[in-house]
Amino acid sequence: MDSELLKLSKPMLALLLKQGITVATPVQKEIIPAILDGRDIIAQSETGSGKTLSFAVPLIERINPSDGLKALILVPTRELCVQVTHEFSKFSLHRNFAATAIYGGVSISDQVRKMKRTNVIVATPGRLLDLLERKAFNLSKIEYLVFDEADRMLDMGFVKDIERILKLMPQKKQTMLFSATISKDIARLSKKYLDNPFRVTFDTPVQPGFLRQTYYQTVQSKKMPLLIHLLKNDRELTIVFCNRKHITEKLAKNLTAEGVVAKCLNGDMTQAKREKVTKEFRDKRFSVLIATDVASRGLHIEGISHVYNYEIPKDVESYTHRVGRTARAGKKGEAISLVTPGEDQKFFKQILFTQKGIITLKSVDDALLPGVKEPSKSVHVHTDQKGRRESSRSSESGRQKSSGGREYSGNRFSNKRRPGEEGNSERRQFSGERSTERRQSSVSRSSDRRVNPDERRKDIRRSSSSEQPERRRNANEGSGRSSSADKIYQFDDKKGKETMVWNDIYAGFRDKNPGEPGKKSDKTEENKSGKFKWFSGDKSKSFRDKNKPGDARKKKFRK
């Protein structure tokens, strides 16, 4: 670099040469001398023009590390905040210079602790206001203010936050504003807060000879296979842009299932995870990054050969920032858009008419597109009663084949054994009969569900009174415990050919002297009450005093 032209010190030039920077970009040639002269700056330049160094290098040169906090750089995103802070640290190694990144999603106490010895703050507006409200520091001694990606900050709704921050700063300061576009809001902001600024406008650094722009017209069902087909031919670093966060996650899973290792980056991820994914992508541990527009600005990664627009951006400015991730520093790159009918087609027409450069239409044979494997999901299939019975029969037949060797055929089980298999044939026959009975009972019960419940209860009473077998008595009858001598009521339903059995464990609660089948029992009113005998009439006793003599059972009243 020409030291006389840029007015930089020899240690700074030596450090730039060590980092491989030998030639200044057009932005740097114009802005660095103006900042060193103390002028306010308003610069319109695209991403990748070298504007970060154009304000970082002169600020490092002018700020004395012993003076404390002197500069504030406002950025729209966390990724850009981390990147700008890294640039300050990299080019201030020859001085005891400190830069601190202030952004959300990480520990606020660590950021407060670093503020005690910092010279430059690189911050997002939201977290900066949070720290100012906590009175962690103040901006009364700020001499340099930089708006990086000012248009993006205004788009994200930071206008009121920016005005609140500016009120806490001294009026006399050097202000620098960098933006990809100069909108009405940017013009109003510059007119209000900049003093006779030095205006610089630069064309996009991406030349048509280095950036090839193409697009494919497809349908939604073929969009994923087309992307897989194209990505399998691209082995260098690639970014696939989407408009929605959940699409990035879904796309990363589907591509990984197809053998294309991909990870997603979106605003719903924690800051630690976002930084981890960005570092792994920069270190080329995986080659495909699925991202929202959070990666379209300020994410400086070298060696990106392809950029895909899986979902078309809604404005030309976002498209420009996306394709600006490739064809940087004199290297070639390609930007590919997948256009489907509907909104994508509508937005892409706007891009075709306004975007600088030529965008070529390409096509691919459908026979080359692969099938897509969706990640496995648990699917619940609801079938009718007959379908469930058939599926249960087939599954039961499979279990019997694998365990006992019996095969189901029609309405019978055949006890075929494998060679060398031993087993009890009688047990097999008995279990087969029980299985048949269970199936028949389930069929009958399913048909009985359609019968009126009142009619069904009448049939049960009639059958129990006419075909009730002789009851067996139990010594513990009425005790409420289940034993082998409990009463069993069994009857046959001729229509359904069904055997219904229930265990009358609590028969003693209802009846102590049941009559003969078919005859009415001469029960007294106290027996019909449904209570134990010793609870009725004058013979009422308590469980605790049941076995005590009569005198002891009498309640003693206090005199």
Side-chain angles (χ1 to χ4, degrees):
M1 285 188 177
D2 191 349
S3 59
E4 294 182 0
L5 178 63
L6 299 179
K7 301 179 182 181
L8 298 177
S9 64
K10 290 183 179 180
M12 177 60 74
L13 290 172
L15 187 59
L16 291 171
L17 183 61
K18 186 178 179 180
Q19 296 291 338
I21 300 173
T22 58
V23 179
T25 64
V27 175
Q28 295 165 356
K29 289 179 181 179
E30 294 286 341
I31 292 177
I32 290 177
I35 293 176
L36 291 173
D37 289 340
R39 297 281 305 274
D40 284 2
I41 303 293
I42 178 169
Q44 179 183 358
S45 63
E46 299 290 349
T47 304
S49 60
K51 59 180 173 54
T52 303
L53 274 184
S54 67
F55 65 78
V57 169
L59 289 180
I60 294 171
E61 289 279 84
R62 296 196 66 178
I63 296 174
N64 187 355
S66 61
D67 292 342
L69 179 61
K70 290 296 179 181
L72 172 64
I73 290 90
L74 291 176
V75 295
T77 63
R78 302 172 184 178
E79 284 72 24
L80 185 56
C81 183
V82 173
Q83 181 178 311
V84 172
T85 306
H86 177 70
E87 294 295 310
F88 270 98
S89 301
K90 185 168 64 173
F91 292 101
S92 61
L93 297 176
H94 61 292
R95 308 182 69 187
N96 189 19
F97 193 90
T100 303
I102 303 296
Y103 55 90
V106 294
S107 173
I108 196 170
S109 58
D110 292 341
Q111 295 175 351
V112 172
R113 180 170 42 83
K114 292 178 181 178
M115 293 298 302
K116 295 179 181 179
R117 54 173 303 275
T118 189
N119 302 113
V120 175
I121 293 177
V122 185
T124 55
R127 176 53 68 93
L128 180 63
L129 283 174
D130 192 4
L131 287 174
L132 290 173
E133 290 174 356
R134 294 168 182 253
K135 298 183 179 180
F137 61 95
N138 61 74
L139 304 176
S140 60
K141 295 183 180 180
I142 293 293
E143 296 179 0
Y144 306 97
L145 173 63
V146 179
F147 294 99
D148 194 9
E149 302 283 0
D151 55 341
R152 178 67 170 162
M153 278 193 286
L154 297 184
D155 291 342
M156 295 173 68
F158 287 133
V159 178
K160 293 183 178 179
D161 291 344
I162 290 172
E163 291 180 348
R164 287 177 60 190
I165 292 169
L166 289 171
K167 289 179 181 179
L168 301 174
M169 299 175 66
Q171 290 185 352
K172 188 177 180 180
K173 59 185 178 296
Q174 186 177 357
T175 306
M176 292 147 273
L177 189 150
F178 296 87
S179 178
T181 58
I182 304 298
S183 61
K184 293 181 180 180
D185 293 332
I186 296 294
R188 183 186 62 82
L189 190 67
S190 62
K191 185 177 180 180
K192 186 175 181 179
Y193 296 105
L194 274 68
D195 181 22
N196 190 22
F198 176 70
R199 297 178 180 272
V200 186
T201 303
F202 298 96
D203 293 331
T204 174
V206 180
Q207 302 298 327
F210 294 96
L211 176 64
R212 182 173 58 178
Q213 302 180 68
T214 58
Y215 71 98
Y216 292 84
Q217 288 184 340
T218 182
V219 293
Q220 193 64 37
S221 59
K222 297 179 182 178
K223 201 173 186 179
M224 175 71 70
L226 176 59
L227 179 64
I228 294 169
H229 170 72
L230 296 173
L231 287 176
K232 286 187 175 180
N233 297 326
D234 303 332
R235 294 301 176 185
E236 298 184 42
L237 294 183
T238 302
I239 299 181
V240 181
F241 284 104
C242 303
N243 296 336
R244 295 166 290 178
K245 299 172 185 177
H246 72 278
I247 295 296
T248 62
E249 299 173 357
K250 180 181 178 181
L251 207 57
K253 290 179 182 178
N254 290 339
L255 290 176
T256 303
E258 289 292 328
V260 180
V261 181
K263 292 187 178 182
C264 66
L265 180 69
N266 58 58
D268 285 347
M269 299 166 60
T270 62
Q271 184 60 29
K273 192 170 183 180
R274 288 163 67 172
E275 292 177 2
K276 180 182 177 182
V277 171
T278 304
K279 186 177 184 304
E280 289 178 354
F281 185 62
R282 186 180 282 112
D283 296 341
K284 300 183 179 181
R285 296 185 184 179
F286 63 96
S287 59
V288 180
L289 178 67
I290 316 297
T292 55
D293 284 328
V294 72
S296 66
R297 298 196 185 198
L299 191 64
H300 179 66
I301 298 175
E302 297 180 356
I304 296 176
S305 61
H306 292 76
V307 169
Y308 286 87
N309 289 308
Y310 186 77
E311 291 183 310
I312 304 301
K314 298 182 179 180
D315 54 80
V316 180
E317 183 183 346
S318 297
Y319 177 85
T320 303
H321 284 288
R322 287 184 181 186
V323 301
R325 297 298 97 199
T326 187
R328 298 161 69 99
K331 296 182 180 179
K332 293 185 177 181
E334 184 175 3
I336 303 170
S337 301
L338 308 183
V339 185
T340 56
E343 288 191 353
D344 280 1
Q345 196 173 37
K346 173 185 174 183
F347 296 138
F348 197 71
K349 282 182 180 180
Q350 182 182 359
I351 294 170
L352 285 174
F353 285 116
T354 56
Q355 175 67 15
K356 296 179 181 179
I358 301 172
I359 306 178
T360 309
L361 173 64
K362 296 181 71 174
S363 60
V364 65
D365 189 3
D366 291 347
L368 300 175
L369 303 183
V372 180
K373 303 174 191 173
E374 290 287 343
S376 59
K377 296 180 181 178
S378 58
V379 180
H380 300 280
V381 180
H382 300 278
T383 59
D384 58 358
Q385 188 71 16
K386 183 177 180 181
R388 286 196 292 270
R389 287 200 300 271
E390 294 296 332
S391 61
S392 63
R393 288 180 184 178
S394 60
S395 60
E396 184 179 356
S397 174
R399 288 195 300 270
Q400 297 295 345
K401 282 184 181 183
S402 60
S403 59
R406 290 189 296 110
E407 296 181 0
Y408 177 73
S409 175
N411 295 325
R412 298 180 181 179
F413 284 95
S414 60
N415 299 322
K416 294 183 181 180
R417 300 182 186 177
R418 297 188 183 94
E421 180 183 355
E422 295 181 2
N424 191 340
S425 61
E426 294 180 359
R427 184 180 301 170
R428 294 175 184 277
Q429 184 177 0
F430 176 71
S431 62
E433 292 172 356
R434 284 200 304 177
S435 301
T436 307
E437 290 177 0
R438 282 197 299 268
R439 286 197 307 276
Q440 291 176 352
S441 63
S442 65
V443 173
S444 300
R445 282 194 296 272
S446 63
S447 61
D448 285 344
R449 290 192 187 100
R450 294 186 294 270
V451 180
N452 190 345
D454 295 335
E455 295 296 332
R456 188 177 179 186
R457 282 195 289 269
K458 291 178 182 179
D459 294 340
I460 292 173
R461 291 195 201 99
R462 253 187 256 110
S463 300
S464 60
S465 61
S466 60
E467 301 181 14
Q468 180 181 5
E470 186 176 359
R471 300 177 181 177
R472 292 173 293 179
R473 296 188 176 275
N474 182 14
N476 295 326
E477 181 177 309
S479 61
R481 300 185 183 93
S482 175
S483 65
S484 59
D486 286 339
K487 300 177 184 180
I488 297 177
Y489 296 82
Q490 187 172 6
F491 70 97
D492 293 331
D493 186 359
K494 295 182 180 179
K495 294 182 180 180
K497 297 182 180 180
E498 177 183 13
T499 301
M500 299 184 65
V501 178
W502 70 84
N503 202 345
D504 193 359
I505 296 173
Y506 301 101
F509 288 90
R510 297 191 300 272
D511 190 7
K512 290 294 291 184
N513 297 314
E516 295 296 329
K519 295 183 179 180
K520 293 184 179 180
S521 177
D522 298 333
K523 295 182 180 180
T524 61
E525 289 298 327
E526 67 181 48
N527 282 341
K528 292 181 182 179
S529 63
K531 299 180 181 179
F532 285 103
K533 236 176 183 182
W534 55 74
F535 279 147
S536 59
D538 298 333
K539 298 179 181 180
S540 176
K541 300 177 182 180
S542 65
F543 288 104
R544 183 178 297 175
D545 301 329
K546 179 180 176 183
N547 298 321
K548 291 183 180 181
D551 294 336
R553 291 197 300 271
K554 292 181 180 179
K555 191 173 181 179
K556 296 180 179 180
F557 296 96
R558 185 180 299 176
K559 292 182 180 180

